[in-house]
Structure formats: C-alpha cells, structure tokens
C-alpha cells in the first residue's frame, strides 16, 4: 500500500512538472504572443494546456476535453450553481461562455472578448444610440453598473429593483429639488426617465402622455388608485378589459399603470419598457420555459402580434383562434396536413382542432414544438382503437 501511494505521488509530481513542458511543445506550432494579454486565463498562465485540450484526439473542435460551458464548469462549479438562478442571460443559458469571454487571454478585464459596451451592443444593437443627453454609466460604456451580466431577478437583469438602483447614485438633495410638488414618496423613476439617454433634458422619455403635458392636475387630485381614471379617456380599452378573458391585473391600485407610464415613455403606447420585457416581468415562467426548450417558435417582434394586450373572448388573449393567428404566416397549413377547423373535433375536449391543439409555440422538447412526440405519443391521444 505504501509503495502504491509513493507511485501515485510520483505520477502527480511528474504531471505537475510536465505542464510547462506541454505548453512549450504547444508553442512550437502556436504563436505564443496570441496567449498573452492584460488578463490571462489561469491554465494558460500555468502552461497547463491539457487542462482544456487533449493533445492527441478529442470529440470536440479544438481538441477540447468538453464542449461549451461544460468545460468551463469543470473548474467553475460555483458559477454553475449561481448562474442557474432567476432570469438567465441568453449566452449563459446556451452555455456560450466564449461568446463574451476569451478562453486564453485578453486585453480586457475578466477575459472579455471586447470592451464591455462593444460586447453588449454586438447583440443589443438597438440599444446603441447617440442620444443628445446620455446617462453617465451608459455614456462611459459601463453596462454592468446597472445590469448583471449572467443572471438576475428580472428580465432586464437589473442589479436591484429600479428605484433602489437609481437611489444608489441619486440620493442627493439636488435630486429631490428637481421634483418639487411630487405627490407622495419619490419613486417610479422609470415612468419618466430613460436610463440610457434621451433628446430631452433630465433624460425625460421621448413621448409625453397628453394629460402630463397639460399639467399634473389633469390626473392628480383625482382617484389615481382606480383604473376608471384612465377609462375616462380610453373608452375602447375599457371595453376590451371587460372581455371574458381580461388582462386586468391586481396590483393593489390602478391596473393600467402596471404596464403603462402615466407620464412619459419611449413609444406612443406609453409602455414602461420594451413590450417583451414588460410581458416577461409578469410571465417570467413562460419566458424561462421558452428559453430552456429545445424547440420553439422563432421569436416574433412582439407579443401583441398574436395576443391582445387588454382583453379577448379567447383563451390566453389570442387575437383569433389558433388557425386564424397561425395561418397569417403559415398560409398552407391545414390545407394539406392534419385537418383543422370547426368540423374537426378533439374528442378529449369537444372543441374544434386548431394549431394549438398539437403545438405549443412557447416551446417544448419535441420537434416542431409539438406538445408530445409526433412519432406516436401525440397522435394516440385522439387516434385510439376502442
């Protein structure tokens, strides 16, 4: 037993001593200068190329020992646990660590592939704008001053709740001096201010709510806690809200301002944020399921392409029955494939068969985002021998 222990120790020592030698052999072919930078990955700095690469043969491109994040998590086990919580940034969810981080060396901190802002804007192209007035962190390219890069508690990956995040920097007396006459406790910063930039002073958002332009007394001094205040101008929305399936949510006050800003916004719909983010703030479980599903419908431009925003006579606030909504893009479906329509009845429910009878566009683990395997399991739900 003692001799075996000695042998194992010698093997370990031999391997430890071989790491720099291995790197030296690698550099016979690979330019050493490409593995230098202000930040160098630990195994590279130690000359331990074999930590990630097999020098002879491997199943993965680049002779990697594992693929994607699985290789990174061999060392970063703590990160694997942490990054699985809450809302997860898409590259992290897909295991694409090298989409943001260089695996060997970088001129940037944290082994980033590019300067932080350029890296973020490479995916979030629409966020890169030359605003007349810019928020200081945005102007400096400091995206992580407000956002978590890997995962967070909300769809925008903010480091804190919006107001608490703003108060971290804007808690000085001059901040409050600019809000004289503000009713109640200061808060709901983003109902007026764009956190990135604007053409207006004070980062006020581009579109102003008509009553807000007229003066605060158009709404304040009345019963703000009641959606009837909004319905007094938006009669058509009131009718939609009282549909059989309504988006009238319980927020402890005026349901309209759960989604809409009463003061200023970036679009005419007066949404507090981009539509998909607004929907995701409540429907986080649906968004997470979609993100983690193997097969899902390609992302449409916005949720309201298929769903009514306020109310509908149909389940899940659809703009039409499943066939009507889907056939706007899938024009030939139902004409040559499985029969659908009012004459085709789902014996399980007694309802007519439509696209959503078999497909879940928000994502499943089966091809064509079918609700069950199309080889048999889904079909035998209706096509049984009795």
């Amino acid at each position: 037993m003692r001799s075996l222990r000695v042998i194992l120790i010698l093997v370990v020592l031999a391997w430890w001593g071989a790491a720099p030698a291995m790197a030296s052999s690698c550099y016979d072919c690979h330019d050493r200068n490409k593995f230098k930078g202000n930040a160098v990955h630990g195994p590279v700095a130690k000359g331990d190329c074999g930590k990630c690469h097999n020098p002879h043969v491997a199943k993965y491109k680049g002779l990697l020992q594992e693929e994607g994040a699985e290789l990174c998590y061999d060392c970063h086990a703590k990160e694997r646990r942490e990054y699985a919580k809450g809302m997860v940034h898409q590259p992290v969810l897909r295991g694409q660590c090298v989409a943001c981080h260089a695996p060997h060396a970088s001129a940037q901190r944290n082994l980033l592939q590019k300067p932080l802002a350029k890296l973020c804007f490479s995916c979030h192209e629409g966020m890169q704008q030359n605003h007349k007035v810019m928020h200081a962190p945005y102007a400096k390219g400091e995206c992580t001053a407000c956002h978590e890069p890997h995962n967070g508690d909300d769809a925008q990956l903010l480091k804190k709740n919006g107001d608490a995040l703003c108060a971290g920097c804007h808690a000085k007396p001059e901040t409050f001096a600019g809000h004289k006459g503000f009713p109640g406790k200061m808060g709901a910063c983003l109902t007026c201010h764009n956190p990135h930039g604007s053409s207006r002073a004070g980062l006020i958002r581009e579109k102003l709510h008509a009553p807000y332009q007229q003066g605060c007394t158009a709404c304040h001094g009345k019963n703000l806690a009641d959606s009837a205040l909004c319905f007094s101008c938006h009669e058509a929305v009131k009718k939609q809200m009282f549909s059989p399936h309504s988006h009238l949510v319980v927020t402890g006050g005026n349901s309209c301002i759960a989604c809409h800003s009463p003061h200023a916004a970036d679009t005419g719909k007066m949404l507090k944020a981009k539509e998909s983010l607004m929907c995701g703030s409540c429907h986080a479980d649906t968004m997470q399921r979609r993100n983690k599903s193997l097969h899902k419908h390609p992302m449409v431009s916005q949720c309201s392409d298929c769903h009514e925003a306020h109310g509908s006579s149909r389940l899940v606030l659809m703009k039409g029955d499943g066939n009507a909504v889907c056939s706007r893009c899938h024009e030939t479906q139902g004409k040559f494939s499985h029969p659908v329509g009012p004459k085709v009845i789902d014996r399980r429910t007694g309802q007519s068969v439509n696209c959503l009878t078999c497909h879940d566009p928000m994502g499943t683990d089966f091809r064509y985002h079918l609700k069950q395997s199309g080889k048999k399991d889904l079909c035998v739900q209706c096509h049984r021998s009795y």
Side-chain angles (χ1 to χ4, degrees):
M1 178 63 76
R2 183 178 178 183
S3 61
L4 179 59
R5 190 176 298 140
V6 170
I7 292 171
L8 287 173
I9 291 172
L10 290 174
V11 168
V12 171
L13 290 174
W15 171 255
W16 185 266
M22 179 183 292
S24 180
S25 297
C26 297
Y27 292 141
D28 287 344
C29 295
H30 299 280
D31 185 357
R32 187 187 295 265
N33 291 321
K34 293 182 178 179
F35 299 85
K36 295 179 180 180
N38 294 331
V40 181
H41 197 195
V44 177
K46 295 175 183 176
D48 190 4
C49 305
K51 188 72 176 178
C52 300
H53 302 276
N54 187 303
H56 301 113
V57 66
K59 293 191 293 183
Y60 308 109
K61 187 177 179 179
L63 294 176
L64 290 173
Q65 303 276 16
E66 295 284 350
E67 191 172 36
E70 288 303 313
L71 179 64
C72 302
Y73 289 145
D74 280 346
C75 293
H76 300 283
K78 178 182 176 182
E79 282 76 8
R80 180 197 288 268
R81 295 190 297 270
E82 289 298 317
Y83 297 164
K85 299 175 183 176
M87 300 294 289
V88 184
H89 198 194
Q90 282 296 300
V92 180
L93 189 63
R94 295 170 183 161
Q96 298 171 337
C97 304
V98 295
C100 298
H101 299 279
H104 300 117
S106 171
Q108 313 301 322
R109 292 178 59 190
N110 301 316
L111 289 170
L112 292 180
Q113 296 273 17
K114 303 175 184 177
L116 181 61
K118 286 186 177 181
L119 186 62
C120 297
F121 292 144
S122 63
C123 290
H124 302 281
E125 297 176 7
M127 301 305 297
Q128 187 175 15
Q129 298 180 41
N130 188 24
H131 299 285
K132 181 179 178 181
V133 181
M134 290 192 278
H135 194 202
Y138 177 88
K140 295 175 183 176
E142 297 173 351
C143 305
T144 54
C146 299
H147 300 278
E148 294 286 0
H150 300 106
N151 62 323
D153 294 329
D154 68 355
Q156 292 172 291
L157 303 182
L158 292 175
K159 289 194 167 184
K160 295 179 183 177
N161 163 274
D163 291 341
L165 182 63
C166 299
C169 295
H170 302 282
K172 298 177 181 179
E174 55 263 32
T175 301
F176 300 98
H179 295 79
K180 290 180 180 179
F182 192 90
K185 185 180 178 181
M186 287 282 293
C189 308
L190 300 183
T191 64
C192 291
H193 303 280
N194 186 306
H196 299 122
S198 171
S199 65
R200 300 177 184 274
L203 298 175
I204 298 295
R205 293 182 184 270
E206 302 296 336
K207 301 291 184 180
L208 303 183
H209 193 204
Y212 175 70
Q213 288 180 294
Q214 297 169 14
C216 303
T217 55
C219 295
H220 291 279
K222 300 177 182 179
N223 188 1
L224 287 172
D226 191 344
S227 297
L229 176 64
C230 300
F231 294 154
S232 65
C233 292
H234 302 282
E235 185 66 31
V237 174
K238 177 181 178 180
K239 185 178 180 180
Q240 293 173 346
M241 280 288 198
F242 285 94
S243 299
H245 301 283
S246 174
H247 217 174
L248 194 65
V249 296
V250 178
T251 60
N254 187 331
S255 292
C256 302
I257 59 175
C259 299
H260 299 280
S261 169
H263 303 121
D266 293 324
T267 66
K269 292 181 179 180
M270 302 305 295
L271 288 174
K272 288 182 175 180
K274 184 178 169 184
E275 186 176 300
S276 59
L277 292 175
M278 279 306 310
C279 297
S281 65
C282 288
H283 300 285
D285 54 342
T286 300
M287 295 299 188
Q288 284 283 59
R289 176 166 62 85
R290 183 189 187 283
N291 290 338
K292 293 180 180 180
S293 296
L294 292 177
H295 303 280
K296 59 251 185 182
H297 192 279
M299 184 65 82
V300 293
S301 59
Q302 48 194 11
C303 304
S304 60
D305 286 348
C306 298
H307 301 276
E308 295 286 4
H310 299 110
S312 170
S313 60
R314 301 175 181 85
L315 288 171
V316 296
L317 305 181
M318 293 296 291
K319 285 195 165 181
D321 65 39
N323 300 332
V325 172
C326 299
S327 62
R328 291 177 308 171
C329 297
H330 305 282
E331 297 176 358
T332 59
Q333 294 306 307
K335 296 180 180 178
F336 69 90
S337 58
H338 194 287
V340 294
K343 295 182 180 180
V344 185
I345 304 301
D346 184 342
R347 65 174 63 192
R348 300 167 300 174
T349 63
Q351 302 295 314
S352 60
V353 172
N354 61 50
C355 305
L356 301 181
T357 303
C358 298
H359 301 275
D360 184 344
M362 297 312 296
T364 73
D365 289 336
F366 304 102
R367 290 183 67 191
Y368 314 115
H369 45 84
L370 291 170
K371 291 182 176 179
Q372 291 178 278
S373 171
K375 293 182 178 179
K376 176 182 178 183
D377 295 345
L378 180 64
C379 302
V380 297
Q381 296 297 309
C382 295
H383 301 282
R384 298 178 181 177
S385 297
Y386 290 93

